[in-house]
Amino acid sequence: MPELPSRRAALRGLGAAGLLAALAGCGVPAAYVPEDRRRAPDLSDRDRTLAFSNWPLYIDTDDEDEESRPTLEAFTRKTGIQVRYTEEINDNDEFFGKVSPALMNHQATGHDLVVVSDWMAARFVHLGWAQKMDRSAQSNVARHLDPQLRSPAFDEGRLHTVPWQSGITGIAYNRRALGREIKSVKDLWHPDLAGKVTLFSGLDESFSLLMQGNGTDVTRWTESDFHRMCDQVENMVRKKHIRRFTGNDYTSDLGKGDVLACQAYSGDAIQLRADNPDIEFVVPEEGGELWAESLLVPNLARHKANAEALVDHYYDPAVAAELAAAVNYVCPVPAAREVLAASPDQETARLAENPLIFPDDAMRRRLAVARDISSAERPALAKRWNAIVGL
C-alpha cells in the first residue's frame, strides 16, 4: 500500500483561516451565515450528480486500476448518481483559504461534499458554513455511527458533520533499537532519547497528546493547561532533546532510524509495521487522542440530497468495511468489524482484530476526543506554539 499523506495537515500559521477565526472571535459578524441562509435550491432530483472532494489516497481503489474506486462505483450503480470525485484537499488551511472568499460572501463553492479534519470542520460549523444534514434520509448514519464520535463539542449531535475516517494520535517507536518499551508520554523525555524524538509541528495535531501526558482532561482543558505543556516542550527544545518538529515526514525519520520515538498516527503505524516489525505503536497509559476527519456539505451546495445519500452509503457496514480494509484508519462504523471478520481472505479477516482499526473496550477507555481550540483562543495559542516550533 502506498504511503498515505498526513490526514491532519499542519497549521503553518494563522493565514486566511486564522484571520477569519480571529475576526469571528472579535465579534465581527460578516463571515457568519445563519442556518436559514445556508441552503440553495437543491437540483438533486433532476441532476443526478455530486461533486465530492477528498484527500489523496483516502479511498479504496482497484488493485489493477488505480482510477477505479469500487465503493463509489457501487453507489452509482445503486442510485444512478454520478460522483465527480477529486483529490484536491492536500492541506486543511490551504483548502480553507481556497473556499473561504466564496463562503464569507454567501456564494457557492462548487463543492457538494468535502472531507476536512475535525479541527477545521469546527471552523466551518462555528462560522455557519456547513449545512445541517437530513438524518431522516440517513438511516445507516443514525444506526451505525460510532457512539464515541457522535457528539463532539464543536458539533453537538453531529448535525452538520459525519466522520469519514477516524484515528488515534499516540507514540511510535523502534523497540529493537531503543531496547525498552515506551508506555507513557513522559518516557519521551528520558535521557536516552535525547536528539531522537520528533513531535508534530501542527498545533491541532500536537497539543492533545502532550497535555494528556500531564494528566489533563483534554475534553475540558484550559489555557493554563496549554501553557504548562508549552513550558515543558520549550524546555526540551532548548535542551536539544527534540530533534525536530514534523509533518507526515516523521514516518521517513522513524523508518530510517534517524529518530527512535515520535508522535504518530495509528493508520501510519500499521503501514510502518508492515515494512518493519520492530516499529511499535502505543496509546500511552495517560491516554491518546481519538480524532476524526469529517464529511460536510458546504453552504449553497446544489446537490445536497445526493451528497447525503453518499454519506449514508459509506455507513453501510459492508461499504465501511471495504473502505477500512483499504485505508487502515479507525473505522467510524463498528459494525463493519463483523463484515471483515467473516471475510474468507485471512489477511482481511485479521483486520477485524486490529485495535487500531476497531478499538476494543479497554483501548476506548484510554481515548478522548479533545475540546477544539476556539476562535478566540487560537491567535494567542498559535503564536505561542509556532514560536516554540521555530526555535
Side-chain angles (χ1 to χ4, degrees), residues 115-138:
V115 177
V116 293
S117 298
D118 265 4
W119 61 265
M120 179 57 74
R123 293 185 187 172
F124 278 79
V125 172
H126 293 325
L127 286 165
W129 292 0
Q131 296 189 58
K132 186 181 294 185
M133 294 191 198
D134 180 7
R135 289 287 183 262
S136 68
Q138 296 179 316

Side-chain angles (χ1 to χ4, degrees), residues 37-309:
R37 295 186 59 195
R38 299 178 194 176
R39 297 195 65 166
D42 196 340
L43 306 179
S44 294
D45 284 345
R46 67 174 185 270
D47 184 6
R48 306 295 283 168
T49 66
L50 73 99
F52 177 20
S53 292
N54 201 350
W55 299 77
L57 304 175
Y58 210 15
I59 199 169
D60 55 300
T61 57
D62 189 296
D63 290 340
E64 297 179 359
D65 179 5
E66 291 186 359
E67 296 301 313
S68 173
R69 301 178 177 93
T71 55
L72 281 182
E73 292 162 8
F75 173 73
T76 297
R77 288 194 300 271
K78 181 174 71 173
T79 65
I81 299 170
Q82 297 287 334
V83 182
R84 297 192 301 275
Y85 184 79
T86 57
E87 296 183 336
E88 67 171 298
I89 302 177
N90 294 295
D91 178 279
N92 285 291
D93 225 26
E94 177 186 285
F95 181 72
F96 187 95
K98 182 188 296 186
V99 299
S100 59
L103 290 166
M104 72 185 302
N105 286 292
H106 312 290
Q107 298 170 352
T109 67
H111 300 85
D112 297 306
L113 192 64
V114 301
V115 177
V116 293
S117 298
D118 265 4
W119 61 265
M120 179 57 74
R123 293 185 187 172
F124 278 79
V125 172
H126 293 325
L127 286 165
W129 292 0
Q131 296 189 58
K132 186 181 294 185
M133 294 191 198
D134 180 7
R135 289 287 183 262
S136 68
Q138 296 179 316
S139 59
N140 286 328
V141 174
R143 183 180 310 159
H144 297 301
L145 172 57
D146 186 339
Q148 202 166 6
L149 297 170
R150 280 184 181 270
S151 194
F154 73 88
D155 187 19
E156 293 186 11
R158 282 284 183 186
L159 301 178
H160 304 86
T161 63
V162 176
W164 170 251
Q165 292 290 280
S166 183
I168 301 167
T169 300
I171 297 171
Y173 68 102
N174 189 316
R175 171 74 179 273
R176 185 187 184 100
L178 183 57
R180 63 177 175 88
E181 285 186 286
I182 285 181
K183 297 181 179 180
S184 165
V185 174
K186 295 181 177 65
D187 290 341
L188 291 176
W189 315 136
H190 195 278
D192 67 354
L193 280 170
K196 294 291 187 178
V197 174
T198 61
L199 302 178
F200 288 134
S201 58
L203 168 61
D204 299 88
E205 289 71 31
S206 297
F207 80 90
S208 178
L209 183 75
L210 297 173
M211 280 195 214
Q212 285 170 304
N214 290 331
T216 300
D217 178 354
V218 294
T219 66
R220 51 183 183 181
W221 59 269
T222 66
E223 289 195 34
S224 294
D225 295 322
F226 177 83
H227 288 296
R228 178 162 63 101
M229 176 273 292
C230 284
D231 290 343
Q232 180 183 46
V233 174
E234 183 173 356
N235 180 51
M236 289 296 169
V237 172
R238 294 191 183 281
K239 288 182 176 180
K240 302 190 182 304
H241 186 92
I242 296 170
R243 181 182 179 90
R244 70 186 185 104
F245 292 86
T246 74
N248 207 52
D249 49 346
Y250 77 89
T251 58
S252 175
D253 288 347
L254 186 63
K256 291 187 297 185
D258 291 340
V259 303
L260 297 182
C262 57
Q263 281 188 307
Y265 303 135
S266 55
D268 291 338
I270 293 173
Q271 295 183 53
L272 285 166
R273 279 187 58 82
D275 295 329
N276 183 350
D278 294 328
I279 301 297
E280 300 281 354
F281 179 85
V282 62
V283 175
E285 58 191 15
E286 305 96 338
E289 181 191 10
L290 180 67
W291 49 264
E293 282 166 336
S294 288
L295 299 143
L296 61 84
V297 179
N299 289 1
L300 305 181
R302 303 306 299 269
H303 305 91
K304 181 173 183 284
N306 291 347
E308 290 167 341

Side-chain angles (χ1 to χ4, degrees), residues 1-4 57 267 270-271 274-275 323-329 351:
M1 183 181 294
E3 180 177 320
L4 296 180
L57 304 175
I270 293 173
Q271 295 183 53
D275 295 329
L323 181 60
V327 301
N328 290 169
Y329 275 80
L351 295 175

